[in-house]
Amino acid sequence: MPTNRDLDRRGLLKVTGASLATVGLAAAGCGGDDGGSGGTNADGPATLRFAWWGGEPRAVKIKKAIALFEKKNPKIKIKPEFTDYQAFWEKFQTQASGGNPPDVFLNSVAFLAKYDKRGVLLDLKSQIDAGNLSLKNFRGGVESAGQVTGGKQVAVPVGANTMSLVIDKKAFAKAGVEPKFGWTWDEYFKTLQTIQDKLKISGDTGYAGIMYLYDLYLRQNGKAFFKDGKLGFTEDDLTQWWSDYYKRVKSGIVADPKKIEQVKPKSGLSAGLAAGEFTWDNFSVRYEGEGDSDYGLAPIPTTDGKDTGQYLGSLMLSISTKCKAQAQAAKFIDFMVHDPEVGKILGYDMGVLATTDQFDAYKPGEEADKAVAEANEGIAAYETAVDKAGVLGKITPHPSGADVVEAAFLRIAGDVANAKQKVPAAVKQFFSEAEAAFQG
């Protein structure tokens, strides 16, 4: 899965095609009284390097959580390392290649298979069996997001989110339209037309390159974006998706991508260019700070009037196979995802809190910033409603190269929207780049 609202999706994905940067390696790996095998003494002395990405507000919160952990576990010291998203993964690639990754680090589903394949990620089963790390009390089955093909657990969710439609509530009200659970894609696109007819703005900022949204659409139709280590759909499937999208851009019910580009880093939604935008629900806090309207979360459209294809995705924590104090590292992760006080400290910075221990402890309306408080209350209500609707399934494990595939999907969809490439050629290019990414 940053202080998510501060980051542009294209910027997030620039790293995926990057070569290894020339950056200095960090200090030597963790030490402890467990020896080189990882051991089982979770209370023994150790110093752990913990790395994450994000801005200064996230760093302040995580450092408070670290201080609380060290107070309760005085023999274990945590050395923090943080940077922005792109720099994090460039540095991590170099560290991993040099055999010196951080001991504990923030991770994402797009990178699990890649670094598991390279032997970087610790299989957490031994620490779970030893009682140092618990997979209990995770919401909506999100713990499965930390698994690679075969069910091996290589990461533990620290925050969870799901795809949503963020809407300009004033615009929808003026147009006389209301999204409801179970509405269909046909109803959604009719809604966009109504918004355009009545308000003279587009209904959607642009959806064709959002890999996770297309994954939901495919899941609604019995497929998935990834399956068995490769793409789970055909060229004909994608041709239909992108062709329909291009027609909607030309008709105006989906925003002109050139205008969307011009207002960046502001969103086309908060800039008033469109009335809705698909994104992860916890990203929605950004709109209250950027725009002048009122924003809310609406359900994902469906194919059959019921199944949205949704699941909880997450940011996660992993342990390096190079860590010499694996028991202490597992204890630290367990603390970060289960301790109620940590939940109160972190809030929704890395997504809606993944465990009920923390979700129930944190009150999202208590932030000093009223807009943020209201947005977080809306996010909590949305995830609760989605869970109660019974539509949540399990995320499909992403193969090695998924990060590169996601970047290609976004980029090539942009070429289609801007008429830089015709759909048939764009589809063939995407499938070719995806195949190369899987083999890389």
Side-chain angles (χ1 to χ4, degrees):
M1 67 243 202
T3 306
N4 295 321
R5 62 184 182 274
D6 297 330
L7 296 174
D8 179 277
R9 190 63 178 155
R10 291 181 185 272
L12 291 180
L13 293 169
K14 288 179 181 178
V15 65
T16 58
S19 60
L20 295 180
T22 306
V23 293
L25 295 177
C30 69
D33 64 358
D34 285 344
S37 63
T40 58
N41 184 8
D43 297 318
T47 299
L48 303 169
R49 289 167 49 217
F50 174 38
W52 69 90
W53 65 80
E56 186 60 32
R58 173 175 295 174
V60 170
K61 292 179 181 180
I62 289 181
K63 287 179 179 178
K64 286 183 179 179
I66 288 173
L68 182 61
F69 175 79
E70 291 181 334
K71 181 178 180 180
K72 294 185 177 182
N73 301 273
K75 293 182 179 181
I76 305 174
K77 304 300 179 184
I78 308 297
K79 294 178 63 176
E81 302 175 7
F82 68 96
T83 184
D84 63 48
Y85 182 91
Q86 180 170 338
F88 175 91
W89 286 110
E90 289 175 347
K91 183 176 181 179
F92 186 85
Q93 289 183 73
T94 302
Q95 292 173 326
S97 297
N100 191 36
D103 306 305
V104 180
F105 51 92
L106 195 60
N107 210 339
S108 167
V109 66
F111 296 92
L112 294 187
K114 171 182 284 188
Y115 287 107
D116 176 59
K117 182 179 178 181
R118 297 180 184 180
V120 177
L121 307 182
L122 180 70
D123 183 346
L124 299 175
K125 185 178 186 302
S126 61
Q127 297 304 324
I128 294 169
D129 291 346
N132 298 325
L133 178 59
S134 172
L135 291 185
K136 294 181 179 179
N137 300 336
F138 280 89
R139 298 187 304 110
V142 72
E143 67 274 10
S144 65
Q147 297 173 2
V148 291
T149 301
K152 182 168 70 169
Q153 195 84 32
V154 295
V156 176
V158 66
N161 52 13
T162 191
M163 287 297 297
S164 68
L165 173 64
V166 183
I167 64 170
D168 182 328
K169 293 193 291 186
K170 291 182 179 179
F172 267 65
K174 287 180 181 178
V177 290
E178 182 182 359
K180 297 180 180 179
F181 271 100
W183 66 333
T184 65
W185 286 101
D186 286 343
E187 291 171 329
Y188 174 67
F189 291 119
K190 287 179 182 178
T191 295
L192 301 192
Q193 186 66 62
T194 300
I195 290 170
Q196 184 193 36
D197 292 344
K198 293 188 176 182
L199 305 183
K200 308 306 178 186
I201 62 171
S202 299
D204 189 304
T205 61
Y207 61 85
I210 306 173
M211 184 184 82
Y212 289 98
L213 179 67
Y214 188 45
D215 185 34
L216 299 194
Y217 179 79
L218 290 167
R219 287 164 66 97
Q220 291 175 16
N221 290 278
K223 299 185 178 183
F225 199 98
F226 297 114
K227 183 179 180 181
D228 300 329
K230 56 185 179 181
L231 297 177
F233 56 97
T234 67
E235 290 188 14
D236 287 344
D237 293 329
L238 185 56
T239 297
Q240 187 70 54
W241 178 256
W242 278 349
S243 295
D244 289 345
Y245 173 74
Y246 182 68
K247 291 175 184 176
R248 290 166 185 142
V249 171
K250 297 298 288 183
S251 74
I253 66 172
V254 174
D256 182 345
K258 294 184 179 64
K259 292 182 179 180
I260 297 295
E261 194 68 30
Q262 288 171 358
V263 299
K264 287 184 176 180
K266 203 172 190 178
S267 162
L269 174 59
S270 50
L273 297 178
E277 180 166 282
F278 288 103
T279 188
W280 295 104
D281 59 0
N282 68 306
F283 283 30
S284 62
V285 178
R286 69 174 288 189
Y287 303 100
E288 296 293 346
E290 286 184 354
D292 298 322
S293 190
D294 292 329
Y295 306 94
L297 295 169
I300 297 291
T302 70
T303 298
D304 63 2
K306 181 180 178 181
D307 183 18
T308 64
Q310 284 173 275
Y311 45 79
L312 292 181
S314 72
L315 291 180
M316 295 170 276
L317 296 175
S318 291
I319 300 174
S320 163
T321 53
K322 296 293 184 180
C323 179
K324 295 180 181 179
Q326 295 167 6
Q328 293 95 325
K331 185 175 185 177
F332 174 61
I333 290 179
D334 190 80
F335 182 83
M336 291 294 288
V337 302
H338 287 289
D339 186 87
E341 288 302 312
V342 171
K344 293 178 182 179
I345 292 169
L346 296 180
Y348 292 170
D349 185 86
M350 291 187 282
V352 181
L353 294 157
T355 62
T356 55
D357 309 280
Q358 295 185 340
F359 183 82
D360 293 342
Y362 173 65
K363 306 302 179 185
E366 294 180 350
E367 291 87 350
D369 187 320
K370 183 178 179 181
V372 172
E374 290 179 352
N376 281 343
E377 285 182 315
I379 294 167
Y382 177 75
E383 291 216 2
T384 299
V386 170
D387 192 19
K388 287 183 177 179
V391 297
L392 289 175
K394 290 187 177 181
I395 190 171
T396 305
H398 287 33
S400 179
D403 54 327
V404 179
V405 172
E406 183 181 1
F409 192 73
L410 177 66
R411 169 172 45 81
I412 297 172
D415 289 343
V416 169
N418 284 290
K420 292 181 179 179
Q421 192 166 198
K422 292 184 177 181
V423 172
V427 170
K428 289 188 180 299
Q429 180 184 344
F430 171 72
F431 270 74
S432 176
E433 290 191 23
E435 182 63 29
F438 296 144
Q439 294 177 357

